[in-house]
Amino acid sequence: MRRVLILGGTAEARALAAELADVPSMHVVSSLAGRVTNPRLPVGEVRAGGFGGPDGLATWLAAERIDAVVDATHPFAARMTASAAEASARTGVPLLVLRRPGWPQGPDDTWQRVDSLEAAATRLAVAMPTEPTEPVRVFLTTGRRSLPVFTGLAGVWLLARSVDPPEPPLPPNVRVLLDRGPYTVEGERALIREHRLEVLVTKDSGGQLTAAKLVAARQLGLPVIMVDRPPLPTGVRLVESVNDAALWAQG
Ligand code: NAP
């Protein structure tokens, strides 16, 4: 039996688990961080919760006699990816990173690229009129844990969309919208209009499930502040398609 660990929490990880499920002589374990209530589950065996850093993961890989690891976590799950790279280097268990491509910027998009959430907040502050009569209305889709980076900004009103609720208490300039993709362009356009949103702040997650907001922003002429992905650890092997990852996982 070839034993493969998939570090998951993404649509690609679920697709990979599904693709490998019927391969004879393979045993696949998918791992989730265990932080989302009611997560979408992959087929096959699933474990949940952190490993305890690179040390914990290295120990787990040895104990479970894992032959290969596919890190199919979200492009912004940088700690998990760093931990996987370190555990792989230490144990010799081969690692492949599966990352969907980032979103391409089109000629009609008004994007400003920044390299961190903090830089996005600074960019928002700089872009604001010095004495706004009305708060600038921001559509924030960077995740519930990023909210504190933006809530302290003066002169902004935030529509923060997330899968699970952010930690209370929330300041009065924040309205939370609990939702999980996939989203449609019509739906996103309606949301932008309903809340009179003026700027979108998002992360370059890539993929189809949440891309509709970018199309809606383009159509409605909304500027976008796009947070770039954190860099991958040096030397890791990278593929962008589930198919390539499935071939690699089979050895
Ligand atoms: P992170 O900051 O890189 O990870 C923090 C810690 O959570 C890791 O050090 C690890 O704990 C644990 N962890 C993360 N992913 C794990 C996994 N698949 N299995 C077991 N433990 C995991 O990651 P994050 O940004 O919080 O993301 C957590 C999960 O949500 C990931 O599975 C990711 O694919 C998914 N997700 C993230 C985003 C996002 O925007 N960041 C969006 C959608 C889905 P230990 O150090 O104890 O091992």
Side-chain angles (χ1 to χ4, degrees):
M1 271 288 173
R2 182 170 165 78
R3 296 173 64 80
V4 172
L5 170 67
I6 300 176
L7 298 168
T10 59
E12 290 73 21
R14 290 189 294 276
L16 180 60
E19 200 156 324
L20 296 176
D22 298 329
V23 179
S25 76
M26 275 196 81
H27 182 80
V28 174
V29 182
S30 293
S31 175
L32 302 178
R35 265 187 249 124
V36 173
T37 326
N38 204 5
R40 290 191 176 118
L41 290 174
V43 293
E45 186 180 331
V46 179
R47 67 161 301 284
F51 295 94
D55 288 345
L57 179 55
T59 305
W60 193 93
L61 293 176
E64 297 294 322
R65 292 171 290 107
I66 296 295
D67 297 301
V69 179
V70 179
D71 172 9
T73 54
H74 190 270
F76 283 81
R79 262 176 60 201
M80 188 67 252
T81 297
S83 187
E86 200 174 323
S88 161
R90 258 191 239 170
T91 56
V93 176
L95 169 71
L96 180 77
V97 175
L98 165 61
R99 282 283 179 284
R100 60 179 92 133
W103 285 312
Q105 182 174 0
D108 298 327
D109 289 318
T110 316
W111 291 6
Q112 296 183 52
R113 287 190 168 276
V114 291
D115 62 8
S116 66
L117 293 163
E118 290 72 17
T122 307
R123 196 59 67 91
L124 255 186
V126 167
M128 268 177 329
T130 35
E131 284 181 33
T133 45
E134 297 262 329
V136 176
R137 301 178 71 82
V138 179
F139 186 14
L140 186 68
T141 67
T142 50
R144 66 187 158 132
R145 281 179 298 141
S146 69
L147 208 46
V149 178
F150 298 93
T151 46
L153 286 176
V156 297
W157 179 89
L158 301 163
L159 180 72
R161 184 166 67 189
S162 60
V163 176
D164 277 331
E167 285 290 310
L170 290 175
N173 64 333
V174 181
R175 165 114 180 247
V176 173
L177 179 62
L178 297 182
D179 206 351
R180 164 156 49 190
Y183 303 102
T184 64
V185 175
E186 298 74 42
E188 300 291 55
R189 265 204 318 255
L191 193 70
I192 290 170
R193 287 204 174 108
E194 180 192 342
H195 295 281
R196 294 178 286 112
L197 300 168
E198 297 168 285
V199 53
L200 167 65
V201 180
T202 191
K203 301 190 290 196
D204 187 8
S205 300
Q208 287 310 307
L209 296 185
T210 58
K213 63 190 165 204
L214 297 170
V215 180
R218 181 187 312 140
Q219 291 175 350
L220 298 174
L222 230 66
V224 176
I225 298 178
M226 180 68 74
V227 182
D228 279 333
R229 296 169 170 205
L232 284 175
T234 45
V236 294
R237 187 172 181 160
L238 171 74
V239 294
E240 293 189 331
S241 83
V242 171
N243 233 359
D244 288 346
L247 285 173
W248 180 90
Q250 289 170 68

